[in-house]
Amino acid sequence: MGEGHTPKIVGAVWGLLVLNTLGSAGAKTIVPLPRSLIQMVTMGALVAAFALALLINPRLRIRGLRIRASAYVFLLTLLLVTSVISSVNLESGFGALFRCFRLALFVSTLWLLSRWWDGGLAFVRHHIRMYFAVLGSVAAGLVASPGAALPDLYGGRLVGALWPLTPPQIGQYAAVITGLTVLLVLGRRTDRTSAVVVIVPSLVLLALTHTRTATLGLLLGLVLAIGSLLLTSGAARRFFSWAVLCATVAAVGFASLLQAWFLRGQSKENFSSLTGRAKVWDALLAAPRTTGERWFGMGLGDKSFGGLPIDNSWLAVYNEQGLVGVTLVAAIIIVLGGVALLRPPSLQRACAIFLISYCAIASYTEAGLGDASPYLLHLALAASLLAAPAEAAPLATPDVPRRHIPRWARRSEVP
């Protein structure tokens, strides 16, 4: 580590960031939770994360800021500036400025954590533990009240019955920690028993959510990540071979069952329009905009258009932060992907490729790349994995006091 080791409190800060990005909207819970209370908890978690990040950075309070250069967080800072420019006109109301403040705290906390981004796997473990705990609450809600966890309102798909979580959120969390755990097993950084404890329940919850985006993101992300290890890892080659064999057998033997799960009982017309998303997208693109709105957007909002969710990161960013925001988000994906391709094959590189691929795939049907969200946390984790280890500071050589030599001893000749 650049600082010798990662303090345990860093894991607490990362966990608070995860809690903040859970959101406050979702299904009805067993015990009704006022949305104002949920927002207070999530925003309080972000404030606490920022305060703890300051606490573990004593040089910031004593000698000045000590952080590591990060292209990812720098681009996020530019995105924050763009968000403020687009939000000051209050077209989206005062809520836009509040969201800018939240994004500012989020980005500032990442800057403070960047000093521990050294290409290690510590943050991967923090990521898996926290999201596994979230999935544990989902499983507990399913056991406590199956009717509330599988409501008819969501077509029988799994939701959060203790904390308001939607099926796409649960599917995302399950897919991400499953993919990361599989890669840790292949890299022999965790034992198989611990991996089974994480992977099996996560896959069950993913199946119950019927989330197609998360499933495709998991499969394609793992294909790309494991593909990056094929030349250097025998375990990756064996796993890939078995995975291809099992996928072929499943495609042949369970084709009808897989098709029924994938369609979720939808008609072909509804499926082709991506469950109505395409209509919202067409309306958003056809809406008249001024030059300023086209370039800088209308300010941070709730990722909706005409009262309907946008469910596309690129169009949501275009609507709220304009073409400038779209350019910055594209730069984030391109820079992280380019750095990953330039790194030599390693487990860290494979994990980063999985996270970047997953976020890029999910961006087509999910919003979140332009605001504080789990997707930005996934990409922050990828950035930490791609960071080069900090060089150790050279040891200071103590000054040796010079001995006073008498004048008679300085003579070159002996009398």
Side-chain angles (χ1 to χ4, degrees):
M1 300 293 178
E3 296 297 323
H5 69 283
T6 303
K8 293 183 179 180
I9 198 170
V10 170
V13 174
W14 196 261
L16 289 170
L17 290 178
V18 170
L19 177 58
N20 171 255
T21 57
L22 292 181
S24 58
K28 294 182 179 179
T29 55
I30 300 175
V31 178
L33 300 174
R35 187 173 182 182
S36 58
L37 174 62
I38 298 174
Q39 290 175 332
M40 186 182 303
V41 171
T42 55
M43 192 60 195
L46 180 58
V47 173
F50 178 70
L52 288 177
L54 282 176
L55 182 65
I56 58 179
N57 276 273
R59 291 180 180 273
L60 175 63
R61 294 179 279 110
I62 300 174
R63 300 187 187 92
L65 184 61
R66 183 177 183 180
I67 56 177
R68 292 195 63 186
S70 171
Y72 171 70
V73 188
F74 175 72
L75 289 172
L76 277 187
T77 304
L78 295 181
L79 186 63
L80 169 62
V81 173
T82 303
S83 303
V84 173
I85 294 174
S86 63
S87 300
V88 290
N89 55 15
L90 299 180
E91 288 190 37
S92 299
F94 286 99
L97 294 180
F98 176 79
R99 293 183 179 93
C100 286
F101 173 71
R102 174 174 176 252
L103 181 59
L105 282 182
F106 183 86
V107 174
S108 299
T109 305
L110 292 182
W111 271 122
L112 294 172
L113 291 179
S114 64
R115 63 181 288 193
W116 288 284
W117 292 2
D118 60 353
L121 295 172
F123 284 94
V124 173
R125 301 185 187 281
H126 295 324
H127 212 64
I128 293 174
R129 288 167 185 162
M130 188 60 193
Y131 280 118
F132 187 69
V134 174
L135 293 180
S137 72
V138 175
L142 176 63
V143 173
S145 178
L150 300 167
D152 294 334
L153 180 63
Y154 283 86
R157 301 170 65 189
L158 180 64
V159 300
L162 299 181
W163 185 276
L165 298 173
T166 61
Q169 284 180 282
I170 300 172
Q172 175 197 161
Y173 307 154
V176 167
I177 69 172
T178 296
L180 291 175
T181 305
V182 168
L183 293 174
L184 289 181
V185 172
L186 293 180
R188 297 179 180 178
R189 298 302 180 90
T190 188
D191 60 273
R192 295 185 179 182
T193 301
S194 300
V196 169
V197 171
V198 173
I199 293 174
V200 172
S202 298
L203 288 178
V204 171
L205 296 181
L206 174 59
L208 291 175
T209 63
H210 286 260
T211 307
R212 295 175 293 220
T213 299
T215 304
L216 290 175
L218 171 62
L219 296 177
L220 295 179
L222 278 179
V223 167
L224 295 175
I226 296 175
S228 70
L229 294 172
L230 290 180
L231 296 178
T232 58
S233 172
R237 290 191 291 271
R238 290 191 296 271
F239 180 86
F240 189 81
S241 301
W242 278 105
V244 171
L245 177 62
C246 293
T248 303
V249 172
V252 174
F254 304 96
S256 58
L257 182 62
L258 293 174
Q259 182 180 9
W261 181 90
F262 197 79
L263 289 176
R264 294 195 316 230
Q266 296 175 339
S267 63
K268 293 184 178 180
E269 180 181 359
N270 196 20
F271 177 75
S272 62
S273 66
L274 296 174
T275 322
R277 290 184 178 97
K279 298 179 181 179
V280 179
W281 299 347
D282 293 339
L284 186 151
L285 293 173
R289 296 175 185 271
T290 64
T291 302
E293 291 171 348
R294 187 176 298 110
W295 283 100
F296 291 98
M298 305 178 69
L300 293 183
D302 58 359
K303 313 300 176 287
S304 66
F305 181 80
L308 297 174
I310 297 175
D311 286 340
N312 181 288
S313 285
W314 304 100
L315 291 180
V317 171
Y318 172 67
N319 185 57
E320 297 183 354
Q321 291 132 315
L323 293 174
V324 175
V326 171
T327 302
L328 290 173
V329 171
I332 289 173
I333 300 295
I334 293 172
V335 168
L336 289 177
V339 172
L341 292 177
L342 293 175
R343 288 283 189 269
S346 65
L347 176 59
Q348 289 85 344
R349 176 189 185 228
C351 290
I353 289 175
F354 169 75
L355 292 167
I356 298 167
S357 303
Y358 183 90
C359 292
I361 294 168
S363 67
Y364 185 65
T365 57
E366 295 291 335
L369 287 182
D371 205 348
S373 69
Y375 292 107
L376 291 190
L377 267 186
H378 301 333
L379 293 178
L381 178 58
S384 74
L385 291 167
L386 296 174
E391 296 182 359
L395 295 177
T397 303
D399 295 332
V400 179
R402 298 180 63 182
R403 292 180 57 188
H404 176 69
I405 302 177
R407 182 174 297 178
W408 61 267
R410 300 178 191 174
R411 297 176 182 176
S412 59
E413 299 180 0
V414 179

